[in-house]
Amino acid sequence: MASNEPNFSTVQLPTRTLAYTEASPINPRGTVLLLAWLGGSRLGWSEVQADLDSEYRVLAPDHRDTGDSSPDAEPFLLDDLADDAAAFLQALNAAPAFVVGLSMGGMVAQHLALRHPGLVLVSTTPGGKEGSPATERGRAALFLPAELEAGERARQAMTLMTAPGFTNRHPEVLELAEARGRQHTMSAETYKRQFRAIRAHDTTTELANIRVPTLVIHGDADDLIPLPDGLRLENGIPGARLKVYKGTGHMPQLERREEFLADVRGFLAEVG
């Protein structure tokens, strides 16, 4: 599977530089911001970005200290990543935007929800004490041995994040994950900072304040963030709709690509 990523650009924010890719038709119907997951970068959204770029201005940034964004050794919270995203949109004159976030990106998106007209939360959670713990298989994906080579780490993580058997049927996904893992190697320290920020995430008591159209997408075989957390988002956000994908793990944009794109396009067209 070849990468569809366009050349990346950078934007200077008040305290850091963020790298991003942009794809846009001549007359876009709106702006879509794609936010990456724990351990991921903008590269993971490349295919989705290419599939949406005939209709929307699609922006995929690297979080701080990730990918080609500027290094940053300071600890942070997901609120800080949300502030980065808001400053990023403002710097590019791209607000308001539809926000599509997967896993950690979906947690960041919750903090942006009151500032933007539409929200797609993929394989994510409001966090807090009521959160469902990862399964043993999900924990294995989160805590792979630190000494693993970056490409092999990405292969093993992708195998464990998707539903059992998916990567056996689609080895091209592993090849692409390996290449991207080597292109954007994440240090153990950066991964720990992201993980700590996730552990501190809790929007449970604030979900009722999200007053924008929201689509929740979740797989019923997600081992990292089990389906009950998707149900919590549906029940907590007024008017939220939940799409459950059968036999699907933590990466529905890969595992159910056509259905995922159809659902996202339909949602964007409806609320745009």
Side-chain angles (χ1 to χ4, degrees):
M1 181 185 293
S3 174
N4 295 316
E5 190 204 16
N7 293 328
F8 77 89
S9 303
T10 59
V11 61
Q12 182 64 50
L13 304 185
T15 59
R16 60 186 41 83
T17 300
L18 295 188
Y20 70 98
T21 52
E22 176 175 355
S24 180
I26 295 175
N27 295 304
R29 299 173 62 180
T31 300
V32 176
L33 175 67
L34 302 173
L35 297 176
W37 43 92
L38 170 68
S41 72
R42 68 176 192 274
L43 300 180
W45 284 118
S46 294
E47 285 69 44
V48 172
Q49 187 171 34
D51 283 320
L52 293 175
D53 69 358
S54 63
E55 303 167 77
Y56 296 92
R57 181 186 186 189
V58 188
L59 300 167
D62 287 328
H63 294 300
R64 61 171 70 182
D65 197 31
T66 300
D68 293 298
S69 290
S70 57
D72 189 338
E74 294 299 316
F76 57 86
L77 297 173
L78 297 188
D79 281 343
D80 298 315
L81 297 188
D83 288 343
D84 288 350
F88 170 78
L89 290 172
Q90 183 176 11
L92 294 180
N93 193 28
F98 301 103
V99 183
V100 181
L102 192 154
S103 195
M104 184 184 77
M107 300 175 206
V108 175
Q110 292 169 51
H111 297 283
L112 278 169
L114 296 178
R115 308 176 200 176
H116 300 284
L119 190 63
V120 181
L121 301 177
V122 187
S123 305
T124 193
T125 174
K129 295 179 180 178
E130 299 176 11
S132 300
T135 68
E136 182 176 351
R137 188 168 180 268
R139 289 193 296 272
L142 292 171
F143 302 112
L144 288 166
E147 63 271 15
L148 278 177
E149 185 270 331
E152 179 58 25
R153 170 182 288 273
R155 290 178 69 94
Q156 291 190 28
M158 183 61 71
T159 298
L160 293 167
M161 287 191 296
T162 52
F166 175 77
T167 54
N168 289 335
R169 298 189 300 273
H170 298 278
E172 72 279 3
V173 170
L174 288 180
E175 294 171 8
L176 194 53
E178 179 179 355
R180 289 172 173 170
R182 289 175 178 155
Q183 181 176 345
H184 279 173
T185 301
M186 178 173 285
S187 71
E189 292 73 21
T190 297
Y191 186 87
K192 289 176 183 176
R193 283 190 286 271
Q194 288 192 351
F195 190 76
R196 291 186 188 114
I198 289 173
R199 292 291 297 272
H201 166 68
D202 184 359
T203 57
T204 305
T205 61
E206 300 173 284
L207 294 180
N209 296 324
I210 296 178
R211 301 290 180 175
V212 297
T214 302
L215 174 65
V216 179
I217 296 176
H218 219 106
D220 68 355
D222 190 335
D223 286 305
L224 277 82
I225 299 178
L227 178 58
D229 277 12
L231 295 169
R232 291 174 59 213
L233 289 170
E234 179 195 25
N235 293 330
I237 299 173
R241 287 173 286 170
L242 173 66
K243 291 282 293 189
V244 178
Y245 294 173
K246 300 291 185 183
T248 303
H250 197 60
M251 293 284 161
Q253 85 284 8
L254 299 177
E255 298 172 73
R256 300 286 288 276
R257 180 173 175 176
E258 294 305 318
E259 186 174 353
F260 177 86
L261 288 169
D263 286 335
V264 170
R265 282 195 179 108
F267 174 77
L268 295 178
E270 179 181 341
V271 303

